[in-house]
Amino acid sequence: MSIDMSQFHQVFFDETDEHLATMESVLLAVDLALPDSEDLNAIFRAAHSIKGGAATFGFADLAELTHILENLLDKVRKGSMMLTSEMVDACLQSKDVLSGMLAAHRGAAAVDPGSVADVEQRLAALVGDGSHAAAVALPTAIAATPADAVSSHTLYVELDHLSEVDYAALLQSLSALGEMTVVQPGSSEQSQPWVLVFTSALQADEVAESLAFSIAPAHFRITVDHGQQDEGGFGLFLSSSLEGSPGADAPDVVFEDDGFGLFAPLETDATVAASVRGDEGFGLFEPLPAASTAVEMLHEEDGFGLFAPIAAAASTPAAGMAHEEEGFGLFAPLVSGPAPLQPETATAAPVAASQPVSARAERTAPAVENSIRVNIDKVDLLLNLVGELVITQSMLVQSSQTLDAVQNERLLSGISAMQRNARELQEAVMSIRMTPIAFVFNRFPRVVRDLASKLGKQIELKMVGENTELDKGFIEKLADPLTHLVRNSLDHGIESPEARQAKGKSAVGRLTLRAFHQGGSIAIEVTDDGAGLNRERILAKARERGMPVSDSLSDSEVWGLIFEAGFSTAAEVTDVSGRGVGMDVVKRNIQGMGGRIDIDSMQDFGTTISIRLPLTLAIMDGMSVGIGADIYVIPLSFVLESLQPQAQDLKTVVGKGQLVNVRGQYLPIVSLASFFGHADAARADPTRAILVIVEAGGQQLALLVDELIGQQQFVVKNLETNYRKVEGISGATIMGDGRVALILDISVIARHKQRPPPAAMRQVVGDVA
Amino acid sequence: MTEQLEYHHGQSKAVRELLVFTLGQEEYGIDILKVQEIRGYEAVTRIANAPPFIKGVVNLRGSIVPIVDMRIKFGLGEPVYDAFTVVIILNIFQRTVGVVVDGVSDVIQLAEDELRDPPEFGSVVETTYIEGLGTKGERMVIIVDIERLMSSAEMALVDVTDRS
């Protein structure tokens, strides 16, 4: 029976997305001068996993490209090639192409084959630079490799005696490469290994490479003789190693004490990696008595044992890979100087290597939380049900209040327990939707890097508070506005390095993304230390567009102008800005999420654009007010205060527009009853009603309502799911008694203020027509 | 469902099942597959600036559902809301809408040969939403294309931009 692979495709897509994201973030963070071996491994692992997955699921194009990428990364990782900025660029480019391919498999437009070929060529060219690429081809070819062929090295080689290996041929081929003496012939009876002294121009790793063709890397060990430079400890170790007797504790002890000192003289890049890894193997290695058994046991401990037998049987390069992954740290202290031991294998075997890869991933990243993927619809459904539960619960609470507390003690205590549980359940379900903002922030290192190089600017990006959690719904919607703001800062805000230096600033511009909790909302700030907004230019531009502005506008009013449609302060349109998304769209998007956006700017000092969003879309703190028989909810974030006005504080303008004097400030009064056309509820006399002072879009107004009912949390429901958008209403909620209350959209009401009754009529007529 | 019907009647696939409701003296039929449930009438929350036949919205197990009074829409009978008033909850275009009618009488199966073309009244009666007339003996059931009716611009149930 064939298995339908397509059912697993989604998992592969998701995982690959993650791998690509990891790859990108590590690539961006990597220090070219001194790359961290764990970083390099992480990039390699990501590419490797993608390749494995792609091959398994039959995405040949993905597998092909990642294979080339992997080859390059493998060399870098092993230290046989230095990481260059060119490589990072090529890797990032291939990441983009891979993302494109992945999208194509998901149903998006196909990737331009030209770009694929381009990136493949670029990678292949980089791989081709490495002299080691050809080295594996034939043992004899190694002699021709130019690397460090100047001096000759003396190596001690220990080979396990295996029945299937033709040792005569092996020794012969070795002696063809240099001077070789057999110190001790191997025999299978006492599992005595072969011990050879080998002197040639070859490095230990090159010898290992050629040996790996005949014998699995797990079954030979190469020790470098450092001659005079050696500090005695090595000699001790070496001699005991030469005895080849299993059970000799000496090497272990030596290593325990000063084994690391031995590594120091080795100057290869891989030494760093080796010593890092050596740490892990060390502790394990020490208590085990027998050298050879230790190897076996350690194999098992690290999952390597799985591969060792395969390797022994097949002698394929795959074994080399596996050996490379985990065996490194283990073997290094055991027998030899670490780096040269590396068998170089250009062709990586995915299956064999994948096991140690994942093992390592688990070990190095235990902090990664256990998670499952859940369709967001299911979470929404859960949220809905819990919301229902909360409502039912409050209904019960309401009706239980009339009961005799003594007679119904058990019922009442049950209800109060349920109340508590329901609230906790609600919070727990709500938290499922919460996602760290890092999901949005993570794209910015790349955006900033690409943009900075395109614009010829130097930018240092700092991100603070990436772990701040906010609703998943926001995460997706935030990406575009934030990207726009970041682009804006880079393009218009931060000056060119020369201009910055001329102003006495550091040539490197600083861009900070910051997220933090503030009260009941999340604040996200994009701060640059650039030129700041130019007040004169904005005002001039506004006049040019025929907007009524005066020089007396406050700074914040002037900054607000850039949110007007089609308003751009850029002196020239670059290919970065002017992509059709303006600040007006940004503002609209943010407001659509129930948030608001503010600008703070100072000439030559920088600009901060801050976005404030409610914690979640699904729950809101609100104040319920009564208007006639209807109940409306005002989002608490808009409410400043509520008051009952005195007759002397009420003023009118041309007999109609009503104003209220609140501590010297005259605020317009908006009667919600007339705004919503409830003729029966319109209360003419504000002194008998309540005024709720709200602030929206930088202006304050007084909403006239009949009564205040209370403050509580409301589960926000979308009115547009089954109905249409209603002007002045942002959504609906369900009250404790099961009835629906509408949530006011204060910013719309503030914009429209008092709506003349004919407008309401016109809308109905317009709909019919 | 369809297979069952075919089995019972041995007729073509065109057998349709309709929910019949009454508005005043008239009987109307809508495709039963569009019906989610039938409920009593409960208090609605008014929506500002909505046409009169949109009574408001109710809470249907957590979703906010608009309620349309067909009696007001068609101008039939004086709307009375009592314990016998029926609300048919419909599922159309992935939306949920409640429809207030006088009562639900029964469910009928209608074969193709029992279906008559919609009558022509000129401009006196709007017949765009009438799919046809079903005849069962003496009964005549007006078959309404409820999807077309509910999504029409004059119902103001959906935003104009939504429908495009």
Side-chain angles (χ1 to χ4, degrees):
Chain A
M1 197 184 84
S2 73
I3 301 167
D4 179 16
M5 287 304 239
S6 62
Q7 60 180 314
F8 305 114
H9 283 179
Q10 192 53 47
V11 178
F12 168 71
F13 291 151
D14 291 345
E15 279 178 359
T16 305
D17 270 344
E18 266 173 27
H19 288 313
L20 286 174
T22 311
M23 206 150 102
E24 182 174 56
S25 64
V26 179
L27 275 169
L28 290 170
V30 80
D31 180 1
L32 283 177
L34 193 70
D36 180 43
S37 66
E38 199 40 61
D39 281 352
L40 297 178
N41 282 324
I43 306 172
F44 173 80
R45 276 198 302 269
H48 186 80
S49 307
I50 296 170
K51 186 180 106 172
T56 312
F57 291 107
F59 300 122
D61 52 345
L62 277 168
E64 200 179 313
L65 178 53
T66 30
H67 177 71
I68 304 172
L69 181 63
E70 194 189 347
N71 282 351
L72 176 67
L73 292 170
D74 192 35
K75 289 191 184 306
V76 174
R77 180 176 76 127
K78 288 175 178 165
S80 59
M81 277 173 83
M82 287 297 289
L83 190 67
T84 62
S85 67
E86 200 189 357
M87 276 183 209
V88 173
D89 284 341
C91 290
L92 286 173
Q93 192 190 346
S94 41
K95 182 255 154 190
D96 288 345
V97 173
L98 287 171
S99 301
M101 288 176 172
L102 200 62
H105 286 300
R106 278 171 151 159
V111 187
D112 170 29
S115 68
V116 180
D118 180 43
V119 74
E120 279 183 1
Q121 247 165 30
R122 200 169 158 190
L123 289 173
L126 286 167
V127 177
D129 286 345
S131 51
H132 292 300
V136 261
L138 275 173
T140 46
I142 292 169
T145 27
D148 288 324
V150 208
S151 60
S152 69
H153 306 268
T154 302
L155 307 167
Y156 296 95
V157 182
E158 211 181 316
L159 306 167
D160 286 350
H161 189 86
L162 300 167
S163 52
E164 71 269 21
V165 177
D166 179 359
Y167 283 93
L170 179 64
L171 297 180
Q172 201 184 351
S173 71
L174 265 185
S175 55
L177 298 173
E179 191 186 315
M180 189 210 47
T181 343
V182 177
V183 176
Q184 169 191 285
S187 82
S188 49
E189 287 91 66
Q190 312 153 35
S191 55
Q192 187 183 39
W194 289 78
V195 179
L196 320 168
V197 176
F198 181 69
T199 312
S200 75
L202 296 178
Q203 295 276 14
D205 55 344
E206 289 161 339
V207 177
E209 267 171 30
S210 44
L211 277 175
F213 272 85
S214 314
I215 183 165
H219 292 282
F220 65 81
R221 292 158 290 278
I222 299 173
T223 313
V224 186
D225 182 8
H226 284 264
Q228 299 309 316
Q229 317 156 9
D230 210 358
E231 292 126 73
F234 202 92
L236 173 61
F237 162 62
L238 184 62
S239 57
S240 64
S241 166
L242 275 171
E243 281 164 26
S245 54
D249 281 2
D252 306 338
V253 176
V254 169
F255 257 86
E256 188 53 84
D257 290 339
D258 60 355
F260 270 153
L262 298 173
F263 302 147
L266 297 174
E267 293 289 324
T268 57
D269 285 328
T271 321
V272 185
S275 55
V276 169
R277 286 168 168 226
D279 260 338
E280 294 167 11
F282 236 70
L284 289 169
F285 163 72
E286 186 253 330
L288 297 166
S292 57
T293 38
V295 172
E296 284 307 314
M297 291 194 53
L298 287 169
H299 281 173
E300 273 176 32
E301 296 235 333
D302 263 352
F304 187 44
L306 285 172
F307 300 105
I310 302 172
S315 283
T316 57
M321 278 297 304
H323 170 77
E324 165 72 355
E325 283 296 335
E326 283 298 291
F328 202 150
L330 304 174
F331 295 128
L334 188 64
V335 209
S336 70
L341 178 77
Q342 282 318 294
E344 188 81 21
T345 44
T347 45
V351 184
S354 64
Q355 194 73 21
V357 166
S358 57
R360 175 166 294 273
E362 270 166 33
R363 195 155 10 113
T364 51
V368 172
E369 52 196 298
N370 261 331
S371 63
I372 51 166
R373 287 176 198 285
V374 182
N375 188 331
I376 193 82
D377 288 347
K378 291 186 184 171
V379 178
D380 283 347
L381 178 68
L382 199 59
L383 203 63
N384 250 342
L385 291 173
V386 171
E388 280 300 285
L389 185 69
V390 170
I391 290 159
T392 321
Q393 172 261 120
S394 64
M395 272 168 71
L396 284 175
V397 171
Q398 248 173 27
S399 42
S400 70
Q401 271 160 3
T402 58
L403 296 175
D404 184 331
V406 178
Q407 276 176 4
N408 299 291
E409 196 197 330
R410 285 189 62 192
L411 175 67
L412 292 179
S413 74
I415 287 178
S416 77
M418 181 181 148
Q419 196 171 5
R420 197 173 51 245
N421 291 344
R423 197 167 43 236
E424 280 172 15
L425 182 63
Q426 188 178 22
E427 275 167 22
V429 171
M430 212 64 83
S431 73
I432 296 180
R433 285 183 64 104
M434 303 301 265
T435 318
I437 199 165
F439 279 87
V440 191
F441 278 9
N442 278 348
R443 73 186 58 203
F444 289 113
R446 179 71 189 279
V447 169
V448 169
R449 181 186 192 272
D450 288 357
L451 213 53
S453 66
K454 194 183 277 177
L455 295 168
K457 293 178 181 175
Q458 294 167 21
I459 313 283
E460 182 197 337
L461 175 69
K462 210 171 141 198
M463 299 194 287
V464 185
E466 296 125 291
N467 290 327
T468 311
E469 290 195 328
L470 74 170
D471 196 279
K472 174 102 163 82
F474 290 143
I475 295 276
E476 281 142 21
K477 290 183 191 158
L478 256 181
D480 280 351
L482 269 187
T483 310
H484 186 76
L485 293 180
V486 167
R487 281 209 182 113
N488 229 14
S489 280
L490 254 58
D491 196 15
H492 309 318
I494 294 176
E495 316 91 326
S496 65
E498 303 80 53
R500 290 180 64 86
Q501 271 165 339
K503 287 180 185 173
K505 297 198 231 181
S506 129
V508 181
R510 204 176 311 131
L511 184 74
T512 310
L513 289 173
R514 205 155 77 95
F516 55 97
H517 285 274
Q518 196 174 59
S521 50
I522 300 263
I524 301 153
E525 291 179 354
V526 181
T527 306
D528 66 59
D529 65 345
L533 293 175
N534 188 327
R535 190 184 156 97
E536 281 68 43
R537 182 126 46 99
I538 294 173
L539 283 173
K541 180 96 181 178
R543 288 204 186 88
E544 198 181 294
R545 291 168 47 87
M547 295 158 97
V549 290
S550 76
D551 285 331
S552 63
L553 285 180
S554 73
D555 273 359
S556 68
E557 282 169 310
V558 174
W559 308 150
L561 288 173
I562 67 170
F563 290 120
E564 296 296 325
F567 207 97
S568 173
T569 54
E572 72 233 73
V573 173
T574 63
D575 68 337
V576 176
S577 63
R579 293 188 186 196
V581 201
M583 290 295 271
D584 56 320
V585 181
V586 171
K587 185 173 190 181
R588 205 155 58 232
N589 287 348
I590 299 296
Q591 280 185 333
M593 290 185 257
R596 67 167 210 256
I597 184 163
D598 293 306
I599 299 182
D600 199 8
S601 181
M602 206 189 264
Q603 185 92 42
D604 287 339
F605 194 77
T607 308
T608 296
I609 300 177
S610 47
I611 296 169
R612 211 167 296 273
L613 291 172
L615 271 182
T616 164
L617 282 172
I619 277 215
M620 177 204 69
D621 272 312
M623 178 186 270
S624 46
V625 297
I627 302 164
D630 296 308
I631 295 173
Y632 287 90
V633 176
I634 304 175
L636 210 54
S637 53
F638 289 98
V639 177
L640 297 176
E641 61 178 316
S642 56
L643 52 94
Q644 189 151 32
Q646 302 298 308
Q648 68 267 22
D649 292 332
L650 295 165
K651 305 278 184 252
T652 56
V653 175
V654 282
K656 281 179 220 120
Q658 275 194 310
L659 295 175
V660 61
N661 180 359
V662 180
R663 292 183 291 277
Q665 230 186 333
Y666 284 94
L667 306 178
I669 297 177
V670 176
S671 162
L672 285 181
S674 55
F675 186 89
F676 289 115
H678 298 333
D680 53 332
R683 194 178 289 219
D685 184 3
T687 57
R688 290 171 57 207
I690 305 272
L691 290 176
V692 180
I693 314 294
V694 293
E695 181 178 340
Q699 57 166 317
Q700 296 182 1
L701 59 148
L703 300 178
L704 182 72
V705 302
D706 288 344
E707 56 171 335
L708 295 182
I709 295 168
Q711 276 180 27
Q712 68 178 90
Q713 288 207 321
F714 295 97
V715 180
V716 180
K717 305 278 179 178
N718 194 344
L719 200 59
E720 286 152 77
T721 315
N722 293 314
Y723 189 56
R724 53 182 292 168
K725 177 125 193 75
V726 178
E727 204 176 14
I729 300 294
S730 64
T733 188
I734 297 164
M735 305 295 288
D737 60 1
R739 289 196 53 170
V740 178
L742 299 176
I743 301 168
L744 299 177
D745 190 339
I746 301 295
S747 46
V748 170
I749 294 173
R751 208 160 47 233
H752 290 262
K753 302 263 174 51
Q754 207 91 17
R755 183 217 305 266
M761 286 304 296
R762 225 179 12 248
Q763 196 192 348
V764 176
V765 174
D767 283 335
V768 173
Chain B
M1 182 79 81
T2 322
E3 276 173 34
Q4 248 184 355
L5 290 178
E6 277 175 321
Y7 179 74
H8 283 306
H9 299 270
Q11 280 171 343
S12 72
K13 273 189 186 163
V15 173
R16 298 176 58 186
E17 219 167 356
L18 301 171
L19 178 77
V20 180
F21 60 84
T22 53
L23 291 175
Q25 300 303 310
E26 298 169 1
E27 282 194 307
Y28 288 85
I30 50 173
D31 190 338
I32 200 156
L33 297 176
K34 302 274 183 282
V35 177
Q36 177 186 316
E37 61 189 281
I38 296 167
R39 304 163 57 91
Y41 184 82
E42 57 186 305
V44 296
T45 299
R46 291 187 293 174
I47 293 178
N49 307 313
F53 53 80
I54 293 187
K55 296 302 297 174
V57 287
V58 296
N59 161 30
L60 182 71
R61 291 188 297 283
S63 19
I64 308 292
V65 173
I67 300 294
V68 176
D69 195 321
M70 294 290 265
R71 302 171 299 182
I72 303 175
K73 173 78 186 88
F74 286 160
L76 299 163
E78 196 53 38
V80 181
Y81 301 95
D82 56 25
F84 304 103
T85 309
V86 168
V87 177
I88 305 172
I89 306 292
L90 302 166
N91 256 317
I92 19 183
F93 302 124
Q94 277 115 48
R95 282 168 181 253
T96 313
V97 179
V99 170
V100 185
V101 296
D102 281 342
V104 172
S105 47
D106 58 1
V107 176
I108 58 165
Q109 275 139 8
L110 207 63
E112 200 160 5
D113 58 350
E114 293 167 313
L115 196 72
R116 305 280 175 270
D117 283 342
E120 302 249 358
F121 290 103
S123 60
V124 182
V125 177
E126 173 69 79
T127 56
T128 332
Y129 317 119
I130 300 179
E131 231 187 302
L133 300 174
T135 48
K136 277 272 184 193
E138 291 297 296
R139 283 170 81 183
M140 184 197 82
V141 176
I142 304 160
I143 302 164
V144 180
D145 184 341
I146 196 76
E147 274 193 349
R148 197 186 292 174
L149 175 62
M150 287 296 158
S151 59
S152 66
E154 60 173 76
M155 288 304 276
L157 272 179
V158 286
D159 280 328
V160 179
T161 46
D162 268 15
R163 272 198 318 276
S164 56

